[in-house]
Structures are given as structure tokens and as C-alpha cells.
Amino acid sequence: MSSVKQLAVRGAVWTIASYGLSQVLRLGSNLILTRLLVPEMFGLMSLVYVFITALHLFSDLGIGTSLIQNKRGEEPDFLNTAWTLQVCHGVILWFCTLLLAAPIAHLYQEPQFLWLIPVVGLGTVISGFNSTSVFTLNRNMAFGQLAIFELSGQLIGIVVMIVWAWLSPTIWAILMGSFASQILELVWTHYWNSGSPNRLIWNQEVVKEILSFGKWIFVSTALTFFAEQADRLVLGKLLTLDVLGVYGVALTLADIPRSITLALSGKVMFPAITKLVDQPREILRAKILKNRQPILIGFAVGLTLLVSFGDVAIKILYDDRYIQAAWMLPILALGIWPRVLCNTGIESALFAIGKIQYPAFGQLLRFLWTSIGLWVGFSTAGLLGAIIAVALNDLGFYAAISYGLWREGLNCLVQDLQATVLLLALITSVLAARYCLGLGLPIDLLL
């Protein structure tokens, strides 16, 4: 087994294990917090984080991706110039939150946004001072340290959140937990910097190189915001905050397979494929197909269980205020399959060879579908129509990725069709067995 493949296998194990533990922590904290805080708080914070995420994505310079992909990614001048850009970026983003708070509060008729958005935005300043060591660890596929970095930050944030909510059940519990996590991550990144400490340097040549690569990252991530957050932005106008909070619970659970593959794609597949991009395309394609097949089979089985029994988990884990999430979950979970296909190596391959325009176009198609489909779906079939529109929004993204792979000699369409047939056969068989056993269907609440 080649050294790159050994690192990738080890990274996959670390990533899945750490993600699994992360989800256990997230689910456990979610169950506790939903009993300590009212649903409106979760709906309110979900909108706040939409706007903070928007600022990040609308100004993404591709710094981290550049440090992983660029051959100069470990040179001191390159690292320090990238860090300087990152610091400036964080400070500028916080000033943007000050400017945007009032217009957003007026748009949503929610006075709390006036102070919530700038307070949450302080996190951009904190994370802006993170050391570049976290990108170096990712570049060198140091998965153990990356897992500790992420889990420790998440754990301290959860502890602070729960204790604060227990003592004072207000929205400040969520805010202070987030700050605690960000501060710990800041400390960790500098502790793990094995080289010289980052310092402010401005190398015009490096800046030009990063921005040249980052222009498509900027376009892609800006479109990603629209594609990823359009549902919350539109539903925030169509639904009450408590229903939006219920939708958020369903989406969080339905999104688990996509989140796992996204973690594998960014932390394992992208750096691994980057080390192989000099090989002929046919050889690179063969390696991707070979290593991707067992991953697709595993996720087809996992998604089958989530679609078939996710409603049972909702009914067991949450009280009656969240009962509508039971029928939302299977619909949303089935809809993320095209994105799972993209995240299992094929989108990473396009990033590794520098063809970022295809994912960018895919995000544009996804945004257009979501923004138009939500209004049409809600106006024709109410909440159910909106949920179906969200579930179908990854099809355009997958089409753009597949087209890019075909153009670049890395086509994986046949393998994707085979995996999709397997998924549908598994879901049909399990749902038929469930129905025959008298357990009903996941969408019985709609029937």
C-alpha cells in the first residue's frame, strides 16, 4: 500500500471516528438544550449564523485551500502573508456586522438582531488570529491532531453552553459557548505551531498568488452561501421561528451523511488527491473509482437506515414540540444523496486539479433551484412543498460536477448510477419490511 493511501485510510478512520464522537456530543447537547431553552431561541440563532456565514463566504479568499494546494504552502513568507490576510479578513468582517445589523433587524422585524449579529461577529476576529498550523496539519494529513483540535473546542463549548443554560436559560448560553470554543481553538492552533510563530508580513508576490487562486474560491463560496442558506433565509420569512427551529432539528439529523462525506472530502480526499495530480488522468480516475466504491456502499447502507428509521429517532429523542421533524427527516435525508456522491472524492478531484469553476456553477444552479423552488413549493403545497423543494436542490450541483469530471477525463457516472440503484433497492426493501411488520412508514404523519 502506497504511503499516500496509508495516510488516506488512516485519515478516513480518524475522520469518521472523530465525526461520530462529535455527533454524539452534538446530539447529546442538543437534547439537553432543547429542554432548557425554547425553540424560538434556536430559530433566532439559526438566522444569525446564516448572516455570519454569509460574510465569511462572501469574502472567502481561499487562504486555507491555497496553503494545502500550493507547492509553497510551507514556506515562512507564504505562511505569514496568508496569516496577515486572515487577520485583516477577520477584523473587516466584524466591522461589516456592525454595518449590517440594523438593515437585517429591519428586514426581519427582529430588534434583537441589532446586538446579536455584532456580538456573534466577534468570533470572526478571534478566529482571524488562529495560527496557520491547522492548515499545515491538514496539508500533511496529521489527522489525530486535527481531531483533538476540533473535539476539544466543541466539548468546551458544549459544557459552557449547558452550564450557562442551566443557570440562566437565555440566548447568552449559546453565545458564550461559542466564544469559549473559539478561544480554545485559538490557543490550540498556536500551541501546535511547530515552526516560527506567525507574524505580520505582506509579500506582494504571495498575495497575488493567493488571490489569483482564490478568485474562483471566492465565487464558489459566495454561491455556496446562497445555495446552503437560501432555505433558511426564505423559510425565515415564510415560517414562524418555532417551526423554523423544528426544521433545523430535522435538517441537522438528515445532514449527518453529507457532513461525514464533507469532512472526508476536505480533510482526507482533497490533500490525498493533491499529492497525485501529476499522474495521467486515466490512472488518477482509476484510483478514485477503486477507493470510492466501498465508501459509496457504506453510505448507501447508512442513508437507508436514516431514511427508514429517522422518524423513530425523532419521536424517541425529542418531545412533542418537535414532532413535525419526524416526517421532514426522511424526505430531507433522501435528498442529500446527490451531494454524498459529490463529496466522495469527485468534487475534491476538481479542486485538486484547479478546476473550481465547475463546483461554482453547481452552487449557482443549487441556489436558483432552492430560492425559486421554495416559493413555488410553499405556495402550492405549504410546508410539505417547501421541504420537497429543499430535498431536490442538490441535483443541479451534481449535474455540474459530473459535467466537469467528464470534461476533465475523470468521469464517474456509471459508478454513481450503480450506487444509486443499490440505495433505492435497499430503501424499498427496508420500507416494505417495516410496513409488513405493522410499523408503518416514516411519513405516516402526512398520510
Side-chain angles (χ1 to χ4, degrees):
M1 185 183 294
S2 68
S3 59
V4 174
K5 186 173 182 179
Q6 286 178 327
L7 285 171
V9 171
R10 190 184 310 153
V13 172
W14 265 109
T15 301
I16 293 175
S18 65
Y19 182 83
L21 182 55
S22 173
Q23 289 304 305
V24 170
L25 292 172
R26 185 178 182 183
L27 178 60
S29 65
N30 189 269
L31 291 173
I32 296 172
L33 288 170
T34 52
R35 285 159 173 78
L36 296 174
L37 304 174
V38 296
E40 287 83 358
M41 290 186 187
F42 296 103
L44 190 64
M45 287 305 298
S46 70
L47 282 175
V48 171
Y49 283 117
V50 165
F51 301 121
I52 300 300
T53 302
L55 287 175
H56 277 286
L57 296 181
F58 270 102
S59 58
D60 191 353
L61 304 175
I63 295 172
T65 308
S66 294
L67 289 172
I68 296 171
Q69 192 262 359
N70 198 289
K71 294 180 179 179
R72 299 179 58 194
E74 295 192 52
E75 295 179 8
D77 272 5
F78 200 95
L79 288 168
N80 288 319
T81 301
W83 185 72
T84 303
L85 281 171
Q86 179 180 277
V87 170
C88 295
H89 178 246
V91 174
I92 292 171
L93 285 186
W94 183 67
F95 278 106
C96 289
T97 64
L98 297 177
L99 296 175
L100 293 174
I104 293 172
H106 177 73
L107 176 65
Y108 284 87
Q109 296 297 301
E110 181 52 69
Q112 291 187 83
F113 284 156
L114 285 171
W115 63 269
L116 267 176
I117 292 176
V119 170
V120 175
L122 284 172
T124 65
V125 179
I126 297 172
S127 60
F129 282 90
N130 284 354
S131 167
T132 55
S133 63
V134 68
F135 302 120
T136 303
L137 290 174
N138 200 346
R139 175 187 175 94
N140 295 325
M141 305 175 78
F143 303 109
Q145 289 172 288
L146 285 171
I148 294 172
F149 165 74
E150 293 173 354
L151 289 173
S152 60
Q154 181 184 9
L155 181 60
I156 190 65
I158 287 172
V159 170
V160 171
M161 220 177 288
I162 291 174
V163 172
W164 197 293
W166 179 270
L167 297 174
S168 176
T170 66
I171 204 165
W172 279 100
I174 301 174
L175 296 174
M176 298 312 295
S178 178
F179 284 140
S181 177
Q182 290 165 339
I183 291 170
L184 181 63
E185 289 178 353
L186 172 64
V187 174
W188 269 127
T189 60
H190 287 277
Y191 174 77
W192 271 328
N193 187 4
S194 58
S196 300
N198 285 128
R199 55 196 180 92
L200 297 173
I201 285 181
W202 191 268
N203 185 313
Q204 190 61 39
E205 180 184 345
V206 173
V207 171
K208 183 178 180 181
E209 195 169 348
I210 291 175
L211 296 182
S212 177
F213 178 78
K215 62 185 179 183
W216 276 111
I217 297 287
F218 167 77
V219 173
S220 179
T221 52
L223 291 171
T224 296
F225 162 73
F226 283 119
E228 296 284 351
Q229 307 297 337
D231 59 334
R232 294 172 181 84
L233 290 172
V234 175
L235 291 176
K237 293 290 292 182
L238 298 176
L239 307 177
T240 60
L241 285 176
D242 58 336
V243 176
L244 185 63
V246 172
Y247 167 75
V249 168
L251 184 64
T252 297
L253 294 177
D255 204 43
I256 289 175
R258 187 192 71 89
S259 298
I260 296 174
T261 56
L262 191 61
L264 287 172
S265 178
K267 297 176 184 176
V268 181
M269 298 174 190
F270 174 53
I273 296 174
T274 297
K275 297 179 183 295
L276 303 173
V277 291
D278 292 332
Q279 297 187 4
R281 291 293 167 83
E282 193 57 39
I283 295 176
L284 178 60
R285 175 177 176 272
K287 289 184 176 181
I288 293 173
L289 290 173
K290 179 181 177 181
N291 292 288
R292 187 172 177 253
Q293 184 174 8
I295 298 175
L296 289 177
I297 294 173
F299 277 101
V301 173
L303 192 58
T304 296
L305 295 175
L306 185 60
V307 170
S308 302
F309 300 106
D311 64 311
V312 178
I314 291 288
K315 293 173 184 177
I316 293 174
L317 297 174
Y318 294 91
D319 59 46
D320 290 342
R321 294 176 299 171
Y322 297 89
I323 192 63
Q324 287 193 81
W327 65 263
M328 296 180 192
L329 173 56
I331 298 173
L332 294 171
L334 182 59
I336 59 99
W337 176 248
R339 192 58 182 272
V340 169
L341 293 174
C342 294
N343 289 348
T344 48
I346 57 177
E347 184 184 1
S348 297
L350 292 174
F351 272 86
I353 63 177
K355 301 297 182 180
I356 308 171
Q357 60 268 36
Y358 299 114
F361 183 65
Q363 295 292 3
L364 174 61
L365 293 177
R366 189 163 175 255
F367 161 67
L368 292 174
W369 172 268
T370 303
S371 56
I372 297 172
L374 270 175
W375 288 103
V376 174
F378 188 82
S379 62
T380 55
L383 183 57
L384 174 61
I387 297 299
I388 293 174
V390 173
L392 295 175
N393 69 0
D394 278 319
L395 291 174
F397 183 80
Y398 173 77
I401 296 297
S402 294
Y403 175 72
L405 292 168
W406 173 73
R407 287 287 303 270
E408 302 301 328
L410 297 170
N411 182 30
C412 298
L413 185 59
V414 173
Q415 187 180 63
D416 289 347
L417 289 173
Q418 292 171 342
T420 302
V421 169
L422 173 63
L423 172 71
L424 295 177
L426 288 172
I427 291 177
T428 301
S429 301
V430 174
L431 289 181
R434 172 177 167 162
Y435 186 78
C436 291
L437 290 171
L439 300 177
L441 296 173
I443 58 171
D444 275 347
L445 289 173
L446 292 175
L447 303 178

